Amino acid sequence: MSAVQTPPEVEETARSAELAGPVERPPFWRRHWRLLSIVGVLVLWRIGLAIFRGEDTLAVGGAELNDLQRSLNDLKDNIDAQRETNWFFNDVIGGISDSINWVVDNAQELLSQPAFPRPVPEIGWLGVVAIVVWIAYALAGVRMAVLTLVSLLAVGYLGYWEDSVDTLIITIVAVAVCFVIGLPLGILMSRSKSLTAVITPVLDVMQTMPAFAYLAPLALIFGIGAAAAVAVTIIFALPPIARISAHGLRTVAPATVEASKSLGSTSMQLLRQVQLPMARRTIIVGLNQTTMAALSMVTIAAFIDGPGLGVPVLQELAALDVGGAFVAGLCIVILAIMLDRVTTATGERSEQATRMGTDPRVRRWVLLGLLVPVGIAIYLSRTYTRYAAFPDGSDLGTRLANRVNSINDWVVGQLSSVTEGFKNFVSFNLLNPLEGLVASTPWWLAALAILALGALIGGWRALVSTAICELIILGTGLWNESMITLTTVLVAALMTMVIGIIVGIWMGRNRRVDTALRPILDALQTMPPFVYLVPALALFEVGRFCAIFAAVAFAVPVATKLVADGIRGVSPTTVEAAESAGSNRWQMITKVQLPMSRSSIVLAANQGLLFVLSMVVIGGLVGGQGLGYLVVRGFSQEDIFGKGLAAAVAITALGVMLDRITRYAAERTGREATT
Amino acid sequence: MKHAMARIRRGWVLTFVGAIAASALVACGGGDIQESSTAGSGDCGDFNIAVNPWVGYEADAYVVGTVAEQKLGCNVEYKNLKEEVSWQGFGTGEVDVVLENWGHEDLVKKYIQGDGTAVRVGPTGNKGVIGWYVPPWLAQAHPDITDWHNLNKYASNFETSESHGKGQLLDGDPSFVTNDEALVQNLNLDYEVVYAGSEAALIEAFRDAQANHEWVIGYFYEPQWFMSEVPLVKVDLPPYKPGCDANLEKVACDYPPYNLDKIASKDFMDADGPAAQLVQNFKWTNDDQNLVAKYIADEGMKPEDAAQKWIDANPEKVDAWVQSIT
């Protein structure tokens, strides 16, 4: 049966797995012309290095500024000088930030911070738990209500009740604003191609521009505290909801749309009665992604006094208390899991409800009835201290922190000699030579070589994007720094892919491994990277490799999951066919499963690169040189601000360049696999 | 379908009405929660203290904040910020005071001499030292290393994968005042400045160096709690004379001794409330600060608990700050 259903390309793969080198295949150079050309470009580049080493590298001194960077400095000074008098900053932005602050302040006094003259908030922990659990039940059912209850109690017992509620408040306010702006934006984008073309690059920039670069001016415009924290969160978290809801609306079945049009619906009716309800599930997926993005900004927002769990993470980092930072980070992970699961379940449920039409009356009475215990909980939490302030007695957080600290000390003690050797090996044999090649050749040679490689890997569309991005990088005046950063990013992405492919194959071939590893990968993805900076420093010492390690730790989960999904997606019939043809495990992996999931692997490389790139600035905190350090420096030194912002622009350009090259490569390999 | 939607919507309206009714029912109180009456007795009001990100500063901030809360009834807000953002906040009243300022000539120029939103409030009593330090084992094994003339002799020992064949001189958080690149050049040292990017990275490097007897030389400063864990040894650069650092590109002498001072918002000081007077009076020693910082960083106490412990042990010092406040 399997023989009948096997598609032709599978047959070929299976056959080639069996008989090595069939006679009728084209010659080696034609099959591999792309790879050969890439090698050729690299060889030419290396020869160029030997001739021109150190010429025209466009390296600049640390405090030197060019005109663009100086004008960015002036721009910030102007904002600083005018923010009190200019009507736009004072009335419009001032009004917006006052209203955000008003909402956050009131929510804090209601739920988390002492409401003067009370020593505790208006509603204490018991009341808050009851309300949130009730909402989770109303939206997502009993199981999610239980999950919510456990999560909230966990963050409380870990000792971060108030910070956790603050984080929830900031996240919910930011996500609400994102929804109010993002959904209409998505609707507009779904209706107009030209608008999409204009907005997409803006959304790209919002997602790839490192927040560190605009933190200081945001604090200048929105004021220090909650409003600026919400603003910085919105900038990063808005794109997913706009993009995903646009996609959802665009893919509503055209037949339904046509039918409804022929019944005489106006465009507004069509939207409200057909498109929005039918795209509801996708829109909730967008909301879910926006929520996750908002949570990942918690630590960054703490740099401008954004309330929440980021504050203890940074404080513990300053005291080098790995365990303490871990516990605070764990609370963020717990909240992320809670919000993720509840919003996902809400999406699934909304679909079920519209499809099955369960009687809402019974549920309504149940929900109303449950308000009685909620009311009692609120009453108790307003009346008794023990239900108002989360009980202090539990030392769960401290004990966990101490345990983590001792594990960390043990690991560092055991491994640091090995890891240091590894660091030196990679630095001297891979990082330094590559940096020599990329950053010590004249800019025109490096630019040409990157153009050629971009075109070979991604095709002519990648050539255009690469050229534009290179021009932008040249314009920022930070070519040499960008090349240093490009080197570390490439090495980090390479290591990410090596680990991602190995672990991904393991997970993809073995369900048990998958179930065991997936939650760890999820947690690693939501844990703020600041938490593992200190162990990274202890293991690898200050330097580029330490920055690379942090980036790899952050990027491996997403790459691994994509590879695993690709391997699992290889059709079982193909695997069976190969097995019956007598392939051993190694042949199965290298000749069948890897080639057939090639487009997932390229996609994993794309995501791995972008995740690595998003860590460039954090790497700058632990010895990563180049653009990342410049951005950190721009945030810290008044007169370097413009250079930091220019560095952030260069990082964005690098990101878009690498994204386009790999994305077009993914599309190409996808096409080649199907033809 | 329309009817189903309408029914669901009506259901939600009912539910919310129910929710509001239920919370109205519980609005009346009782029980054991005491509304505080002491706070607000004075006219202290809000007191916004910037908390810059190092532990010594946290010690200053929480001791002053706790005293302001308990003795003056202020409503203290701690704002966790870096120096540059803190100074931005003086003009808008978001930040009232920076309690430990290390020079920062650029910010002084912009906010004190420039738009006049900030004023100097005098020294904290802490003496700041900036310089190049080596771990104690190294100073013991090679005593002559603390003289800068001998640094080139040891340069190759300090080489790492980051220093391009020269000795590595480690620098920290870019917020900190540093002339190190100019110093290396003007003293003809065979070293390359490698930026660690954060204080945490710098401390971890020294901790590791002492534990494993590795060669590390880097920028550091006192007062610093880490000195009580690993007493780093300062390298003597050509001694500082007033004016020798006038031209930052030509500088070839050690860092000046810093009298760390307090900077406050001009409006805040002009209003002369109790909190402003406390800021004016606050003064302590390096030992005091190191003790509180050690409670926080070494013993893992919360900053407010560490401050409380010190306040309870030093009533006479605290009294000296608050006695004269009207």
Side-chain angles (χ1 to χ4, degrees):
Chain A
M1 175 183 151
S2 63
V4 184
Q5 285 186 343
T6 315
E9 86 269 13
V10 173
E11 275 223 76
E12 209 212 3
T13 330
R15 210 185 322 129
S16 66
E18 190 185 7
L19 334 150
V23 237
E24 71 278 17
R25 294 177 89 188
F28 179 81
W29 63 269
R30 190 176 290 171
R31 267 184 296 132
H32 295 286
W33 67 271
R34 208 181 284 276
L35 193 65
L36 290 174
S37 320
I38 290 173
V39 173
V41 170
L42 290 175
V43 169
L44 284 177
W45 196 356
R46 182 66 188 76
I47 295 169
L49 171 69
I51 305 171
F52 298 110
R53 179 186 286 274
E55 282 176 38
D56 291 331
T57 59
L58 303 186
V60 287
E64 279 173 48
L65 299 184
N66 70 3
D67 289 342
L68 170 78
Q69 295 156 10
R70 224 170 278 129
S71 66
L72 290 172
N73 264 352
D74 293 344
L75 183 70
K76 185 184 165 212
D77 288 343
N78 278 337
I79 295 176
D80 197 356
Q82 290 183 10
R83 62 181 161 152
E84 300 279 297
T85 48
N86 182 297
W87 66 270
F88 179 72
F89 289 129
N90 209 11
D91 299 340
V92 180
I93 304 271
I96 293 173
S97 80
D98 284 348
S99 31
I100 295 177
N101 279 331
W102 184 85
V103 171
V104 173
D105 284 348
N106 278 291
Q108 281 184 316
E109 293 202 348
L110 188 66
L111 304 172
S112 66
Q113 302 293 341
F116 192 78
R118 289 163 62 85
V120 287
E122 294 290 347
I123 299 177
W125 70 269
L126 187 67
V128 176
V129 169
I131 294 169
V132 179
V133 169
W134 185 84
I135 293 174
Y137 175 68
L139 291 175
V142 179
R143 290 179 55 201
M144 290 304 124
V146 174
L147 176 80
T148 307
L149 178 69
V150 174
S151 307
L152 290 177
L153 291 181
V155 295
Y157 279 115
L158 286 173
Y160 288 106
W161 173 256
E162 290 179 9
D163 288 323
S164 300
V165 178
D166 279 349
T167 293
L168 282 180
I169 291 172
I170 294 286
T171 308
I172 289 169
V173 171
V175 169
V177 178
C178 285
F179 186 74
V180 170
I181 304 173
L183 186 61
L185 199 62
I187 294 172
L188 291 176
M189 282 169 71
S190 74
R191 300 188 158 201
S192 154
K193 275 227 163 86
S194 53
L195 191 73
T196 309
V198 175
I199 290 179
T200 304
V202 178
L203 297 180
D204 284 344
V205 170
M206 286 164 74
Q207 273 182 305
T208 44
M209 176 92 108
F212 253 93
Y214 51 79
L215 269 186
L218 266 189
L220 210 52
I221 298 171
F222 287 92
I224 294 160
V230 170
V232 73
T233 310
I234 290 171
I235 291 178
F236 186 67
L238 179 67
I241 176 100
R243 280 193 177 140
I244 297 174
S245 50
H247 171 77
L249 290 168
R250 236 181 264 129
T251 47
V252 168
T256 325
V257 175
E258 280 310 310
S260 148
K261 267 187 192 158
S262 66
L263 288 173
S265 299
T266 64
S267 153
M268 197 63 194
Q269 281 172 332
L270 181 70
L271 181 70
R272 281 189 47 186
Q273 290 166 2
V274 179
Q275 288 177 311
L276 281 183
M278 289 192 73
R280 186 144 103 195
R281 171 137 194 228
T282 321
I283 292 172
I284 294 179
V285 170
L287 205 57
N288 170 290
Q289 289 301 305
T290 285
T291 312
M292 293 299 110
L295 268 178
S296 71
M297 295 301 283
V298 166
T299 325
I300 300 286
F303 276 95
I304 44 173
D305 201 41
L309 288 162
V311 176
V313 169
L314 292 187
Q315 268 173 359
E316 303 296 355
L317 180 69
L320 280 101
D321 181 353
V322 182
F326 174 83
V327 174
L330 185 64
C331 291
I332 298 180
V333 173
I334 292 172
L335 292 184
I337 292 174
M338 176 183 104
L339 290 173
D340 176 48
R341 300 293 187 272
V342 170
T343 45
T344 309
T346 308
E348 279 160 10
R349 200 187 169 88
S350 76
E351 198 179 43
Q352 277 170 7
T354 34
R355 210 183 286 150
M356 311 210 301
T358 41
D359 184 14
R361 239 172 303 174
V362 180
R363 256 182 66 74
R364 197 188 314 150
W365 286 114
V366 172
L367 279 175
L368 269 181
L370 284 175
L371 280 179
V372 176
V374 172
I376 294 172
I378 295 175
Y379 171 76
L380 288 175
S381 77
R382 283 182 57 79
T383 323
Y384 297 101
T385 311
R386 116 184 83 124
Y387 301 123
F390 208 92
D392 233 359
S394 136
D395 58 347
L396 191 63
T398 338
R399 265 186 299 158
L400 183 60
N402 291 339
R403 176 68 59 84
V404 172
N405 275 333
S406 57
I407 292 175
N408 177 56
D409 290 345
W410 184 82
V411 170
V412 169
Q414 295 293 310
L415 290 185
S416 64
S417 51
V418 183
T419 49
E420 236 183 276
F422 183 63
K423 173 205 98 170
N424 283 332
F425 179 78
V426 174
S427 297
F428 285 113
N429 293 302
L430 182 61
L431 202 48
N432 288 350
L434 193 61
E435 192 177 295
L437 181 66
V438 177
S440 305
T441 40
W443 68 270
W444 47 266
L445 180 60
L448 275 179
I450 294 170
L451 266 183
L453 292 175
L456 283 170
I457 298 171
W460 67 268
R461 285 183 300 172
L463 178 82
V464 177
S465 310
T466 309
I468 295 173
C469 292
E470 285 187 340
L471 283 176
I472 293 174
I473 293 172
L474 279 170
T476 61
L478 297 169
W479 178 266
N480 189 252
E481 310 279 356
S482 302
M483 292 302 110
I484 293 174
T485 297
L486 180 62
T487 315
T488 50
V489 165
L490 289 178
V491 171
L494 182 73
M495 291 175 59
T496 303
M497 286 315 290
V498 170
I499 301 173
I501 289 177
I502 293 173
V503 182
I505 290 173
W506 194 29
M507 278 172 68
R509 289 170 54 88
N510 188 334
R511 275 259 169 229
R512 274 230 203 93
V513 176
D514 191 292
T515 354
L517 283 186
R518 210 164 265 264
I520 301 176
L521 294 179
D522 286 344
L524 203 57
Q525 224 175 324
T526 32
M527 178 69 80
F530 292 88
V531 171
Y532 44 79
L533 286 187
V534 174
L537 283 165
L539 288 173
F540 299 106
E541 297 190 334
V542 170
R544 287 162 302 163
F545 193 84
C546 189
I548 289 176
F549 172 81
V552 170
F554 185 62
V556 154
V558 66
T560 309
K561 283 194 256 178
L562 283 169
V563 173
D565 291 344
I567 299 279
R568 178 143 314 129
V570 175
S571 83
T573 41
T574 320
V575 177
E576 257 171 51
E579 252 165 18
S580 62
S583 313
N584 61 23
R585 189 195 297 173
W586 177 247
Q587 284 171 328
M588 175 73 85
I589 293 172
T590 54
K591 299 278 163 84
V592 181
Q593 289 178 317
L594 275 183
M596 295 211 54
S597 48
R598 196 163 63 176
S599 63
S600 316
I601 293 172
V602 182
L603 183 64
N606 171 286
Q607 289 300 301
L609 267 171
L610 290 184
F611 272 62
V612 163
L613 210 85
S614 72
M615 288 290 288
V616 161
V617 175
I618 289 176
L621 293 169
V622 291
Q625 312 292 318
L627 298 173
Y629 176 73
L630 276 184
V631 173
V632 173
R633 204 170 151 189
F635 178 55
S636 295
Q637 275 174 303
E638 198 66 35
D639 42 350
I640 304 284
F641 166 77
K643 201 169 185 177
L645 191 54
V649 172
I651 291 177
T652 310
L654 273 182
V656 173
M657 179 176 98
L658 293 170
D659 171 58
R660 293 300 186 269
I661 294 176
T662 45
R663 196 194 294 175
Y664 295 141
E667 282 173 19
R668 183 172 56 74
T669 49
R671 270 200 313 276
E672 279 170 10
T674 50
T675 50
Chain B
M1 178 161 177
K2 206 169 173 182
H3 280 289
M5 293 280 289
R7 207 163 60 211
I8 291 172
R9 207 168 296 142
R10 206 178 320 128
W12 278 107
V13 172
L14 258 180
T15 321
F16 276 116
V17 170
I20 291 165
S23 37
L25 268 178
V26 299
C28 36
D32 65 347
I33 294 178
Q34 300 287 317
E35 298 205 341
S36 65
S37 50
T38 49
S41 61
D43 47 1
C44 179
D46 291 340
F47 180 24
N48 299 315
I49 306 177
V51 184
N52 292 170
W54 58 90
V55 180
Y57 189 112
E58 258 182 284
D60 287 41
Y62 279 86
V63 166
V64 171
T66 309
V67 170
E69 232 161 28
Q70 292 172 352
K71 309 267 171 173
L72 310 175
C74 306
N75 181 23
V76 177
E77 292 258 8
Y78 299 102
K79 309 252 177 168
N80 296 287
L81 300 166
K82 297 198 90 170
E83 295 94 301
E84 291 69 21
V85 184
S86 317
W87 288 59
Q88 278 180 13
F90 286 142
T92 53
E94 290 155 321
V95 171
D96 292 326
V97 62
V98 165
L99 282 171
E100 182 179 291
N101 171 50
W102 289 69
H104 281 298
E105 290 309 319
D106 51 339
L107 297 172
V108 168
K109 203 191 273 173
K110 189 162 174 189
Y111 295 103
I112 295 184
Q113 293 152 9
D115 63 10
T117 50
V119 287
R120 291 185 191 273
V121 195
T124 63
N126 290 144
K127 306 278 183 248
V129 181
I130 295 180
W132 295 357
Y133 288 81
V134 291
W137 79 265
L138 191 54
Q140 255 164 24
H142 304 274
D144 61 339
I145 203 168
T146 58
D147 181 355
W148 72 272
H149 292 101
N150 300 321
L151 284 179
N152 275 345
K153 189 168 85 183
Y154 294 111
S156 62
N157 296 89
F158 290 111
E159 195 186 323
T160 70
S161 59
E162 308 303 300
S163 60
H164 302 105
K166 298 178 179 174
Q168 168 177 287
L169 176 67
L170 207 54
D171 257 44
D173 185 315
S175 302
F176 302 161
V177 179
T178 170
N179 311 328
D180 286 355
E181 269 183 73
L183 280 171
V184 165
Q185 198 175 6
N186 298 331
L187 295 174
N188 291 320
L189 295 176
D190 196 16
Y191 283 76
E192 173 149 323
V193 178
V194 171
Y195 292 96
S198 61
E199 188 194 48
L202 204 55
I203 293 179
E204 196 60 35
F206 277 122
R207 182 183 274 169
D208 194 44
Q210 177 64 11
N212 303 321
H213 285 208
E214 282 166 15
W215 289 72
V216 169
I217 181 169
Y219 173 100
F220 215 66
Y221 33 84
E222 297 169 73
Q224 220 314 340
W225 62 271
F226 179 65
M227 288 288 189
S228 62
E229 184 187 321
V230 177
L232 302 177
V233 180
K234 190 168 181 296
V235 174
D236 295 319
L237 295 174
Y240 173 82
K241 292 188 200 74
C244 75
D245 58 351
N247 183 347
L248 287 181
E249 278 169 27
K250 299 268 164 62
V251 63
C253 60
D254 211 339
Y255 291 88
Y258 286 89
N259 281 318
L260 306 185
D261 63 345
K262 301 164 280 189
I263 309 287
S265 149
K266 181 159 191 315
D267 296 341
F268 171 75
M269 291 315 288
D270 286 350
D272 199 31
Q277 293 178 42
L278 174 65
V279 170
Q280 191 89 56
N281 297 346
F282 166 69
K283 199 163 187 181
W284 65 351
T285 64
N286 282 17
D287 288 342
D288 291 328
Q289 192 199 63
N290 281 336
L291 187 63
V292 180
K294 202 172 148 248
Y295 292 154
I296 300 172
D298 260 14
E299 297 170 24
M301 290 174 78
K302 286 189 174 164
E304 47 269 43
D305 299 339
Q308 190 70 58
K309 187 169 172 185
W310 185 88
I311 290 170
D312 292 343
N314 294 279
E316 71 296 344
K317 288 189 183 172
V318 174
D319 281 344
W321 303 336
V322 294
Q323 255 164 17
S324 61
I325 293 178
T326 49

